[in-house]
Amino acid sequence: TGAITLDIGFVNTGSCTSKITFLDGEKGILRYRGYPIEQLAESSNFAEVSYLLYNGELPTAAQLEAFNKDIAASSKLPGGVEKIIDQFPGSAHPMGVLAAAISSLSGFYPEFLNPEATEEIKNKAITQMMGQVKVMMAQFYRKTMGKSPLASNAKLDYSSDFLNLMFDGEVDKDVADALDTLLILHADHEQNCSASTVRVVGSSHANVFASIAAGVTALWGQLHGGANQAVLEMLEEIRKDGGDYQKFIEKAKDKEDPFRLMGFGHRVYKNFDPRAKIIKKACDTILEKLDIQDPLLDIAKGLEEVALKDEYFVKRNLYPNVDFYSGIIYKALGIPTNMFTAMFVLGRLPGWLSQWKELREDGARISRPRQVYMGETERDYTPVIKR
Ligand code: CMC
């Protein structure tokens, strides 16, 4: 009740309280459950971070072992879901495939549909989905390559098993480590577009699969997770155009031109994105380890250097975000460009699930914003023949 305050794009609207992720955009601080992202990226692993986000505390050795075992036990799909994935044309975008396949899980696990789902089922949601989403992604990728699916290996850590499911042959430890770091950096980011979507959908007591599938579709867009694919396509375009990044900087500044420098800018980070700092370093390390000279990395670094000195970007506090260098790493790991945003899903899944669980545990009210109506005032209906 009372006057409605408009906040288009929710620039300054707090939608919930949360104990999961702390973010200070001015200082460039990101912490999961109090632990600095830098420490987690350096010393932890993705399974442990996922447990931490979902349960609030780092696991003991026994808890971590049980968590990994549960993920491994879930790293397979019901035959029906395999068929659904298989029905997509190979040209389909992996994000559409994932949204459909995740949503389809509701048909195979009806026990999750009860809004009063027991603690046991709530606790199972994370290990089951972490196991199954990795299998879905790999199955679709292999289909596009004309290859049959590979089996999960319970002995491998999360990132190694994902690579094992994707590619034939031995998993390279450096590649698996680089991937694990990327997944940690993507694991949660408080009330961004997709997490808020998960919360809005979950607030109606929609089931966990429906809520997470909604998060996937929100992430797909270029202004959000889709930026990682867009960055690589942009860098490729600059390379093909002769590598003149100044031209693209001018394009991004031109208000008449819809082009934006992809991977630049952030709603909350106004000095730097702490994830981008870590990723830039990881990018150098992995390319050096794999002995890859990617001209796109030079273009990216050049673009960054020029943009950081340019008044337009400085005035608007536009810095490289998490998506700016991540694509170059994914490319080095052998992941196709149109799968980059799906890689973001793999990383963000524990964050979305943690937000969903917290929402349900807090007994949140249904999300129901208001509007300011700007349309026609009352008018009388005219039959079609009179129009
Ligand atoms: N290139 C050129 N100009 C930009 C850019 C950019 N990448 N980003 C923002 N601006 C300008 C924008 O035109 C506006 O200028 P003015 O004040 O003169 O109108 C000003 O900066 C503020 O931009 P905004 O669109 O009002 O800011 P926002 O908080 O609504 O949007 C953003 C944030 C991330 C969507 C935006 O910066 C953007 O489109 N970036 C490119 C896409 C991208 O990299 N997205 C990934 C975000 S981080 C990870 C994730 O969410 O997945």
Side-chain angles (χ1 to χ4, degrees):
T1 57
I4 294 170
T5 312
L6 265 191
D7 181 14
I8 294 165
F10 308 134
V11 179
N12 194 30
T13 290
S15 62
C16 62
T17 61
S18 180
K19 295 185 175 138
I20 304 170
T21 289
F22 174 80
L23 204 165
D24 183 328
E26 295 298 324
K27 298 196 183 113
I29 296 173
L30 173 61
R31 297 185 198 125
Y32 298 160
R33 301 279 187 186
Y35 296 103
I37 191 66
E38 292 79 7
Q39 288 181 23
L40 295 172
E42 175 74 30
S43 310
S44 186
N45 59 67
F46 181 58
E48 187 175 72
V49 164
S50 305
Y51 183 101
L52 168 71
L53 285 168
Y54 202 67
N55 297 296
E57 295 297 335
L58 285 166
T60 61
Q63 285 167 332
L64 183 60
E65 194 189 328
F67 189 72
N68 278 322
K69 256 195 186 150
D70 289 345
I71 294 174
S74 287
S75 294
K76 53 184 184 294
L77 296 172
V81 179
E82 281 179 1
K83 282 198 190 122
I84 288 169
I85 295 172
D86 211 42
Q87 289 307 306
F88 277 90
S91 57
H93 196 282
M95 290 295 277
V97 177
L98 265 188
I102 291 173
S103 187
S104 82
L105 293 174
S106 61
F108 297 86
Y109 301 97
E111 64 274 25
F112 282 90
L113 300 202
N114 177 1
E116 304 309 323
T118 61
E119 273 313 293
E120 194 199 339
I121 287 179
K122 267 195 219 146
N123 287 335
K124 236 181 96 185
I126 185 156
T127 47
Q128 173 167 338
M129 293 188 78
M130 282 179 70
Q132 293 189 322
V133 168
K134 118 182 113 141
V135 175
M136 287 171 184
M137 287 172 57
Q139 189 200 316
F140 183 66
Y141 164 72
R142 291 190 63 86
K143 176 198 155 74
T144 64
M145 304 301 286
K147 293 180 171 177
S148 48
L150 294 167
S152 165
N153 179 348
K155 291 199 195 90
L156 298 176
D157 63 85
Y158 192 83
S159 295
S160 300
D161 190 40
F162 173 73
L163 295 166
N164 154 65
L165 285 159
M166 289 277 291
F167 306 116
D168 301 299
E170 283 287 295
V171 174
D172 182 311
K173 190 174 177 315
D174 291 334
V175 170
D177 287 349
L179 174 59
D180 215 61
T181 306
L182 279 182
L183 296 183
I184 291 172
L185 294 175
H186 284 86
D188 195 50
H189 213 233
E190 55 117 294
Q191 304 316 314
N192 55 81
C193 178
S194 56
S196 298
T197 302
V198 169
R199 280 189 180 256
V200 169
V201 174
S203 80
S204 76
H205 291 190
N207 66 75
V208 66
F209 304 120
S211 305
I212 298 300
V216 172
T217 51
L219 189 76
W220 194 349
Q222 279 204 353
L223 298 188
H224 193 13
N228 61 9
Q229 175 177 341
V231 168
L232 209 92
E233 286 165 355
M234 174 185 80
L235 295 174
E236 198 60 68
E237 194 188 333
I238 298 175
R239 188 186 63 80
K240 284 195 190 127
D241 191 62
D244 178 7
Y245 26 86
Q246 191 62 46
K247 191 168 126 191
F248 287 80
I249 299 257
E250 294 311 318
K251 245 170 98 64
K253 286 157 63 175
D254 181 357
K255 286 281 153 205
E256 302 299 309
D257 191 327
F259 174 79
R260 284 189 162 196
L261 209 52
M262 298 315 289
F264 257 74
H266 197 275
R267 172 63 65 77
V268 187
Y269 291 125
K270 294 301 172 199
N271 282 310
F272 68 96
D273 180 337
R275 303 166 301 173
K277 244 187 184 173
I278 302 170
I279 288 186
K280 188 178 176 186
K281 211 172 129 214
C283 194
D284 278 332
T285 312
I286 189 70
L287 262 63
E288 199 185 309
K289 272 188 185 160
L290 300 179
D291 199 18
I292 295 175
Q293 269 95 34
D294 190 339
L296 298 191
L297 181 60
D298 297 331
I299 293 176
K301 283 185 173 171
L303 256 187
E304 179 184 350
E305 207 186 315
V306 175
L308 290 184
K309 284 192 212 124
D310 189 291
E311 198 203 328
Y312 173 96
F313 294 89
V314 174
K315 215 172 97 195
R316 291 172 180 76
N317 298 311
L318 300 170
Y319 295 86
N321 58 49
V322 68
D323 293 320
F324 194 63
Y325 286 102
S326 65
I328 299 177
I329 306 188
Y330 288 135
K331 183 174 169 234
L333 306 190
I335 312 279
T337 312
N338 81 341
M339 229 180 120
F340 290 0
T341 313
M343 298 304 295
F344 198 148
V345 170
L346 201 63
R348 186 54 57 85
L349 190 58
W352 289 332
L353 286 162
S354 306
Q355 303 275 347
W356 173 81
K357 179 167 167 262
E358 186 177 70
L359 166 100
R360 300 301 300 273
E361 286 174 353
D362 288 352
R365 292 177 84 179
I366 187 166
S367 293
R368 204 319 181 177
R370 299 301 313 274
Q371 63 170 8
V372 173
Y373 179 70
M374 305 282 279
E376 301 286 345
T377 51
E378 187 176 357
R379 49 183 174 164
D380 288 325
Y381 176 82
T382 48
V384 69
I385 44 161
K386 291 203 177 158
R387 277 176 245 151

